[in-house]
Amino acid sequence: MRLADTQIDLTRDRPSWFPSGKSLQLPLALLETRHRIVHRHLPSLAELKRAAAASLEWLWEWYWSQLDEAFKTGANASAHGGEEEDMGVESRQLVREKLQSMLKTYVKERKNEVKSKRKESKAASTALSSYNLRFSPSTTTTPSVQTQRLLLQLLVDEKMTLPTDKKLKSTMSGAFLIWSPFLLAACTNTPAEPAILTISTLIAHMMKAMNAPSASRAMVNPDLDPVREGLHDWILHILTSAEWAQARGSAAAAAAAAASTIMEDVLANCLSEPTFWNLKLAEKLLQGADVPNLQAWRAIMDAATAEANVANDDDMEVDVEGIQTAIAVGERVVKQDNGEGASEKMRGPVKVLGMWKPKPLGWLPDGWEEDE
C-alpha cells in the first residue's frame, strides 16, 4: 500500500534525474491490490506474496536500475546501464510498436509456411534475427530486460499466443502450430542466435498471468475463463510435449547444479499456491509426465487439494426445523369461513416469512447477559 502511495507522489513530483522517455506508472494489478486492502477485504496470503514480488520487480526497474543516471556515472558504466539509457531515449511505446510489428510479420509468414506445408520454419529464425538486430545495443550484447518484458507482455498478457476466438474447452492446436517455432527458437541457444528467453521465465510469466486477479468484474468465476485455460494448456504443452523435449533437456541440464528441474519447480509453485488452475495443472503433470519423486508429489497434491477444498467450502449449516412455509411475494393468505386458507393477490410490498424467525429488538441469545 505504501509503495502505491509513493508511486502516486512520484507521479506528481517527477524526479529530475528520471529519464524523460519513461512513463512512471504502477501496474494495474498492484493498484487493484492496494484498493482491496484499503477499501475491501484483505487479499489472501498467496496473493499478497505475489504482489510483493511484483512490487520488488517494479522498484528495481523504476528506481534501483536508474541510479546510474541519478549519479551521472555515464552511459558506458556497464552494459546494463547502456541498455537502460537506450530505453530512455527510445520510448517504451515505440519499442512496443516495433515488437508488435515484428510479431505480426512473423505470424503472417508462419501462416504462409503452414499453407505451403514446409517442414522447417524460417519465419522463426527471421523474427529472432530481426529482434536481436533491432534491440541489441551492440553485436556482443542481448536486448535489455525491459525489451524482454515487453515481448512477454505482448505474447502472454495481451494474448497474442492465444486464439482470438478462444472459448472454454476449445482446441489450442492452431496456436501451438503457429507460435511453437518462435517460442522454441527464443528459448534455444544456438551458435548463430543466443536465446532471448528461458523456459523458466516463459512459464513463470504464463503462470503469473494465469493466476492474476481479473481486472474486470465481468468474470465472476475465474475457473470458467477461457484465457486462463489457454495459458494452462500452453504450460502443459511446454512441459509435456515431444516438440519441447530438447529445449526442456537443455534447460534441465543448466539447472542440474541447483539439484532442480523445471517440472519440480512448476509443481512446487502450483502446490504452494493451490488455485483452481494451479491444481489442475499439477494434476495433469502428475498423471502424464515423468516426474521425480512421484509418490511424494502426489501426497503433497492430496494435501493441497484438501486445503483448497476447505478454503472454498462456504456452506453454512442451518437448522431447518420449525421453518414456516414461505408466502410468495405479492400474495397473502385469507382465512375463509371453513377455516381453510386461500391465496389472494396483493399490490405493494409484502412481508415474507422465510427461514429466519423474527426476533424482537434487544433480543440476546441464551447465555448472554445485558451490560449494566
Side-chain angles (χ1 to χ4, degrees), residues 1-12:
M1 188 171 70
R2 286 188 176 183
L3 173 67
D5 294 338
T6 302
Q7 186 268 338
I8 293 172
D9 294 337
L10 287 175
T11 303
R12 295 171 183 166

Side-chain angles (χ1 to χ4, degrees), residues 231-337:
L231 294 171
H232 162 274
D233 293 346
W234 257 118
I235 299 170
L236 194 64
H237 179 71
I238 293 172
L239 291 174
T240 60
S241 67
E243 186 179 16
W244 282 79
Q246 184 177 358
R248 289 196 307 270
S250 60
S260 177
T261 64
I262 299 175
M263 189 77 69
E264 289 182 317
D265 288 342
V266 172
L267 284 172
N269 291 331
C270 287
L271 299 180
S272 62
E273 187 181 346
T275 62
F276 174 82
W277 290 109
N278 275 351
L279 289 177
K280 191 171 183 179
L281 176 61
E283 183 180 2
K284 291 287 183 66
L285 292 176
L286 293 177
Q287 285 178 354
D290 185 13
V291 181
N293 305 316
L294 182 60
Q295 296 301 324
W297 281 115
R298 283 180 175 170
I300 299 174
M301 173 74 184
D302 293 339
T305 304
E307 181 183 351
N309 291 337
V310 171
N312 294 329
D313 187 10
D314 295 328
D315 294 338
M316 180 175 59
E317 295 183 0
V318 179
D319 184 10
V320 296
E321 293 182 1
I323 294 177
Q324 302 182 22
T325 304
I327 304 173
V329 176
E331 295 185 1
R332 69 173 179 175
V333 175
V334 180
K335 292 290 184 179
Q336 297 180 351
D337 295 338

Side-chain angles (χ1 to χ4, degrees), residues 114-326:
V114 173
K115 290 179 181 178
S116 60
K117 298 182 180 180
R118 295 180 187 173
K119 294 183 179 180
E120 295 183 0
S121 175
K122 293 184 178 179
S125 58
T126 302
L128 199 61
S129 299
S130 176
Y131 174 83
N132 285 322
L133 288 173
R134 286 186 182 184
F135 304 108
S136 295
S138 65
T139 56
T140 58
T141 58
T142 57
S144 66
V145 177
Q146 284 74 17
T147 306
Q148 183 191 87
R149 288 173 183 162
L150 283 174
L151 178 64
L152 285 171
Q153 286 176 10
L154 289 171
L155 292 172
V156 179
D157 299 337
E158 299 197 8
K159 306 181 284 263
M160 288 192 72
T161 52
L162 298 179
T164 53
D165 57 345
K166 179 71 176 77
K167 297 179 181 178
L168 204 63
K169 297 184 179 180
S170 61
T171 181
M172 287 283 293
S173 57
F176 296 156
L177 184 64
I178 296 295
W179 285 103
S180 282
F182 176 79
L183 294 178
L184 274 169
C187 296
T188 304
N189 262 318
T190 62
E193 297 289 348
I196 61 174
L197 293 173
T198 64
I199 291 184
S200 300
T201 303
L202 179 61
I203 291 178
H205 202 90
M206 287 183 172
M207 291 186 68
K208 181 180 178 181
M210 183 178 69
N211 295 300
S214 178
S216 172
R217 295 181 180 271
M219 180 55 64
V220 178
N221 188 359
D223 304 354
L224 303 178
D225 188 355
V227 173
R228 297 174 195 267
E229 183 190 46
L231 294 171
H232 162 274
D233 293 346
W234 257 118
I235 299 170
L236 194 64
H237 179 71
I238 293 172
L239 291 174
T240 60
S241 67
E243 186 179 16
W244 282 79
Q246 184 177 358
R248 289 196 307 270
S250 60
S260 177
T261 64
I262 299 175
M263 189 77 69
E264 289 182 317
D265 288 342
V266 172
L267 284 172
N269 291 331
C270 287
L271 299 180
S272 62
E273 187 181 346
T275 62
F276 174 82
W277 290 109
N278 275 351
L279 289 177
K280 191 171 183 179
L281 176 61
E283 183 180 2
K284 291 287 183 66
L285 292 176
L286 293 177
Q287 285 178 354
D290 185 13
V291 181
N293 305 316
L294 182 60
Q295 296 301 324
W297 281 115
R298 283 180 175 170
I300 299 174
M301 173 74 184
D302 293 339
T305 304
E307 181 183 351
N309 291 337
V310 171
N312 294 329
D313 187 10
D314 295 328
D315 294 338
M316 180 175 59
E317 295 183 0
V318 179
D319 184 10
V320 296
E321 293 182 1
I323 294 177
Q324 302 182 22
T325 304

Side-chain angles (χ1 to χ4, degrees), residues 4-49:
D5 294 338
T6 302
Q7 186 268 338
I8 293 172
D9 294 337
L10 287 175
T11 303
R12 295 171 183 166
D13 188 14
R14 187 184 183 89
S16 59
W17 50 266
F18 200 82
S20 58
K22 284 185 175 288
S23 174
L24 191 63
Q25 179 62 45
L26 200 69
L28 293 178
L30 294 181
L31 292 176
E32 174 66 18
T33 302
R34 176 195 179 276
H35 182 78
R36 291 175 61 188
I37 293 172
V38 176
H39 302 289
R40 284 183 274 168
H41 297 293
L42 189 68
S44 64
L45 179 60
E47 190 172 344
L48 290 174
K49 287 181 178 179

Side-chain angles (χ1 to χ4, degrees), residues 339-372:
E340 297 180 357
S343 62
E344 178 185 352
K345 296 290 183 181
M346 293 182 60
R347 294 183 179 179
V350 179
K351 185 176 181 180
V352 177
L353 295 177
M355 297 176 64
W356 305 107
K357 296 181 180 180
K359 302 292 183 182
L361 292 175
W363 173 84
L364 294 174
D366 295 338
W368 288 46
E369 297 181 358
E370 295 184 0
D371 295 334
E372 295 182 358

